[in-house]
Amino acid sequence: MSEGKKYVYGFEEGDGQNKMLLGGKGANLCEMTQIGLNVPPGFTITTEACLTYLDNPDRELPAGVMDQVREQMRNVEANTGKTFGGSENPLLVSVRSGSAMSMPGMMDTILNLGLNATTLKGVIAQTGNERFAYDSYRRFVQLFGKVALGVPDEAFDAEFEDVKKKAGVKQDLGLSARDLHEIADRFLDVVERETGRSFPDDPMEQLEIAVKAVFNSWMGKRAVDYRREFKITPDMANGTAVNVQTMVFGNMGNDSATGVGFTRDAGTGENVMYGEYLTNAQGEDVVAGIRTPKPVAMLADEMPEQYKGLVALRNKLESHYREVQDYEYTIEKGRLFCLQTRNGKMNATALVRTSVEMVREGLINKEQALLRIQPEMLEQLLFPQLDPSVTATPMARGLPASPGAAIGHAVFDADRAEVLGRGGQRVILVREETKPEDIHGFFASQGILTSRGGKTSHAAVVARGMGKPCVAGAEGIHVDVQMRKAFVGGATISEGDLITIDGTSGDVYLGEVAMKEAEFSAELDTLLGWADEFAQLEVMANADTPDDAARAVEFGAKGIGLCRTERMFNAVERLPLVVEMILAENTGDRQAALDKLLPIQRGDFKGMLKAMAGKPVTVRLLDPPIHEFLPSEHQLEEELEQLVHLRETVAGMNVLSDAVEFMYRTADTHPSVDRLADPRLVDEAIEKKETMLRKVRALSEVNPMLGHRGVRLGITFPEIYSMQIRAVLEAAAECTREGLDVYPEIMVPQVCTKQELLAVKRIVDSVKQAVETHYGVEVNFKFGSMLEVARACMRAESMAEVAEFFSFGTNDLTQATFSFSREDAENKFLPLYNEAGILQDNPFEVLDVKGVGKIMELAVGWGRTTRAGMKMGICGEHGGHPASIGFCHRIGLTYVSCSGPRVPVARLAAAHAALTDDTAHAGAQSV
Ligand code: ADP
Ligand code: MG
Ligand code: MG
């Protein structure tokens, strides 16, 4: 039916851009041929032929394919002066697979196809090298037998060893032409024995079998597994092409060689010749590692002419492809041939450097420089990494909860971490799980390791916020805090032992593994500067302390998009004040506690505003339910029990002390018994704990996430929000008086209705007046709302009457949209949902564009109906995720906010979003 279809393209006619049809290797062979590089002649059979063949239940090649192959073969013969199957000057070919995506899962390349008894004679006559001929032949029979006919290597190996033994040689190189001849004969027998058919002698038949084998390998287990693993879908690569190419020989003597090269240094990106070669060797030998290859610089001495040719080849490849190339070449008797090229895979360092340098060299423009780097890749540069050249075996594995690697001495509680950390030691805090009261331990540690909890556990979230590496939920580790030890399989980590954690992979190592420091290079800075030129979205950072804020500026943040004030409550010297505030039985007592917190918060805000002078700082008023600041009910009950026991012990000891005194009062010397603590102290402690327990019980909620938190707390305890608002505005007033340019923004969390916003606005207005009067300066600030409740999104039009800006809290909004909580989802059913294909991704990691995104898009439109060009952003974790950033760009958000160390990733992603947006969003420009 598809009789007239063209299935086979000569290298001089195939479309070098059409990788889907010709495969990457085939398209590039065509392209290189057409730009005049010295490519051994050949042709490509299309992926279309492959798919049609695989569809045919009889496994026949589509009609016309072999005819077209024969026709192309005649061309090649004409080009080379050789004859396929000829006895004088025989044409030998390689058969190489290649799909649109580079895929090591497919068939191995067959070299020297076309050899048989007749052509062999020709090769011997031509080269005068019988040994070379038989060696090539026996290699071909084995390779063809294995990859095209499925004969196991062992069958060949047995014969090979047998001949070697008979000949009395140890090394393959010791085998004579006669030995190799015998091996080839035996191999032919092996094939016949194993397949029940004699080895195909006819070169055209060999070729047809090989082509079918390549096509079949597309559906082979290796290839199918590979595509699944790397999520290669049919629209990325569909079917494999086959490349049939004239053999050239790098193993024809010392004027021959074979090598692989990179047009720049693959590790550093430096613009130098880079690669390795072997003299007198054939293709695979370089990669196979049988002989140690030599650095390409040596070729300059060994074969100066050819080296010059290689430099020219490299320059031509780069100036044509305008991308770093990874290429293969062979020198046959002094003639240089290019066998393959493809875009080079590089690490982030090399990608960044080559991007910047290629722009400076005029090879590419800034847009291309930005687009050739996947934003996620930058992570490698922003955190310390384990040295990739070092191989160490992890002792345990957990979840990669916060990227980067860290080395330190294991400690099992936060206090100890703080003491040692302050003393200048590198420590890693190892816990079963962490709690807010462990926070001081985080500050002192290089990294955190927990044996329980997921990527959203306290440890993970806090560590990410601080940019510290964290491995969470390493369940293979049993932590015993009492013994100050952790047990892993048979091994033990004792306090003080050095361990290394890799928060990028989740691996944990005993001892010290070599690391590479983060490198925010001048080139990265340049590149991100270009990114900012193109991006429409501004990138802000989430930061809770002045230090975090300062670091965010270094990463290029345009402001703070989210400052979580509750994080500021968590420091050691503050927690007691917060507890006092919570335990207060009346407004007066609460106010007293708040009065002590006010200067502390004001100081924090001032620090943040100063660090960010000239840029906005968005402060979110207290969000979590307040019982989160108290110990758990269970813990309090246990402590109370211990105190009650202690009360009896103390009383008992005091009785004993009195009694001893009395019994020995007449003696000259007498034993004395120490009086323990004053029992009243114990009573006092008991009373305090009981009050706390009562409060914890009173505050306990059935559904804390949906309970008394956020603005609801601010309305029931207005004095709390009032204090925070005052702290922000006073900090701003003081900065203004110092001549600083500050832009505070007050943001209200968990809002459902405009009325809630109005209630807080009233507090804001009255505090503003008081502060301005007191300081005698005008305070400029914005008042806005989080959008993280479905209702608020639906009422965006009315909310925008009060709010001057919106910030989508997509963590809560995702929970609200799906009506399931992140913790329960991730621990219980989400993995199954993903596996069963019910949900494609984890919506807490990848923004659910269709659902949550739809709500956002609607809210953006409605909000801007009321307030044209209204400032809107996202501050959930999704704000640092490149795909989500693309979406935020498309719906016209003003900014994204993410954790400080992710800011560079987000800046590049924002540029990508703008550069790949062909609709050039009207909404975004009207802002
Ligand atoms: P891969 O996809 O694994 O790179 P290739 O098709 O590039 O496989 O081939 C494997 C090896 O065989 C390479 O080293 C290549 O240089 C060599 N090779 C392939 N075709 C020829 C040829 N026509 N002449 C000489 N060597 C070849
Ligand atoms: Mg190759
Ligand atoms: Mg929230």
Side-chain angles (χ1 to χ4, degrees), residues 792-804:
C793 293
M794 303 319 280
R795 300 290 297 147
E797 207 172 333
S798 127
M799 301 272 289
E801 288 165 13
V802 188
E804 293 170 271

Side-chain angles (χ1 to χ4, degrees), residues 2 65 68 71 159 240 247 264 274 308 317 326 403 429 461 536 689 715 746 784 797 862 914 925:
S2 43
V65 167
Q68 293 177 33
E71 188 189 320
E159 299 293 337
T240 176
M247 279 303 298
R264 300 189 184 217
Y274 183 85
K308 260 191 230 153
L317 284 174
D326 171 358
L429 180 60
V461 174
Q536 278 164 22
K689 294 278 176 198
I715 287 176
I746 294 172
E797 207 172 333
W862 290 329
Q925 268 147 15

